[in-house]
Amino acid sequence: MLNAERLEAIRAWQAQDPDQATVTALDHLVERAEAGESDAVAELVDAFAGRLEFGTAGLRAALGPGPNRMNRVVVAQAAAGLARWLVEHGHPGARVLVGYDARYNSDVFARDTAEILAGHGLRAMLTETHVPTPVVAFGIGHFDCVAGVVVTASHNPPQDNGYKVYVGKSQIIPPTDGEIAAHIDAVADGSLADIPRSDAFETIGEPLLEAYVGRAASLVADNAPRDLRWVYTPMHGVGAEVVARVLDRTGFPAPALVDAQALPDPAFPTVAFPNPEEKGAMDLALALAVETDADVAIANDPDADRCALAAPFDGTWRMLTGDELGWLLADDALRRGTPGTYACSVVSSTLLGRMATAAGQPFEMTLTGFKWIGRVPNLAFGYEEAIGYCTDAEAVADKDGISTLTRLLALVAALKAEGSTVAQRLDDIARTHGVHLTSQLSFRVQDLSIIADAMARIRAELPEQLAGVPVTASDLGAGWNGLPPTDGVLFEGEGVRAVARPSGTEPKLKVYLQVSLPPERSADLAAARAEGSATMEQLKADMAAALGL
């Protein structure tokens, strides 16, 4: 049953909700809760336990009624808070680009945002239809916008949506996120009816897409090889149309398309989680790759800011890890003589630093997320192991699954013309720089206290050895190697490395693992990889035990 105070809060929130769907859903929840249904009570308690926190990832949560869910009330308050911050910081009348993916309510949330930005005197530009996130990230700079918003939950489950904010060409970082959050709190203390709106916003379509496609196509040299067979899946997302336009412009052959995943579908019916990294998500693409005797299979996630690659290794198809693809792309950039800083996140492999240094290029390690990687001065190439890659930093200072796909097509075609393969190129990298193996432990939870308890446990009893190797521990929460504090613990020893940290976007505790052997041990790659794999299994077991999970 609901007490009178909670019921009053629920009805007060409902009274300002402009969305009949969430108004009705709330009525049903209240009715069920009043009838004593415990799951309805629990849902209402959680939905009204507090306000959805606005942070460096913006907003991301399940759709539904209440201040702790994604809905039109919460989005309107966020848009008004952002608008107030922009005006306060000297940007009245400035351009702000708003785009959205094909998830449930993304178009509604985006239009609300454009109306509210316009109502505050800003020059809002709303995309005519759903677009990939990197198209918006590109458009912010192309149209000289001071900020941008993308309504997307990226690769989250279908019941989620989100709200990603850029100020300048990069995602927000502290203290900007906290300042915007304070404005959102102030808006939320008032009435939704008091938020000014206007339909005097622009819509932007073909000029944005044409500019982005032209830039992506420019990454391929006129005389580059183009002969390859490949499979593509946009994972029920919004990438396919833009990819097709890039192919038309560059002259690469059309892919064998995974038809069941080709069109935008917010239900993501063929996958448990619409993330190419998740087990089973690439099964249809891999089956089609075998059927068509493809050279590679490529996937974007639903908002097309991530990119995944699968290829045959000794006759067996498998996904490259996020680090392996990062090494491949970095090696390609270095071979092309691309100058500048090469950067990756602290949870990614250390091999990128070795590669950059060997080529005489600077290297920088950042906190997790492209809000940090994209801000590295003079960035030439950046990546994080969660299949996010920045391969054209001048145009998109963020991860971009479509420009990455374009780079990969050029690379695979060039390798094929040389009589080589993705697997062989990775072998070359290992012989030159040493065998590096990376893996993960990932613990998805319903109760976030499990993550907090595990992190407290490992900090209280820091392991002195992992996989039989003495290690030193660094608490990233206290800052490390010049990086700002973040919740995580790093362990390093000779040839072993592990980072434990809570995910910033999902209810997961993740452990990022690396085992490495020096180049002199890599003459026999099979033996070195077998040794490394055995060490990795022990490293996994030791870290799981240390976390108590």
Side-chain angles (χ1 to χ4, degrees), residues 424-445:
Q424 289 171 316
R425 178 55 57 86
L426 286 172
D427 285 350
D428 293 341
I429 294 169
R431 291 189 185 97
T432 302
H433 301 289
V435 165
H436 288 65
L437 304 177
T438 60
S439 189
Q440 275 190 32
L441 294 170
S442 182
F443 304 96
R444 184 179 291 271
V445 301

Side-chain angles (χ1 to χ4, degrees), residues 491-513:
F491 299 93
E492 294 181 293
E494 186 173 354
V496 299
R497 188 174 190 269
V499 182
R501 65 177 289 272
S503 169
T505 56
E506 298 178 270
K508 286 182 178 180
L509 176 62
K510 302 181 81 170
V511 186
Y512 305 84
L513 307 164

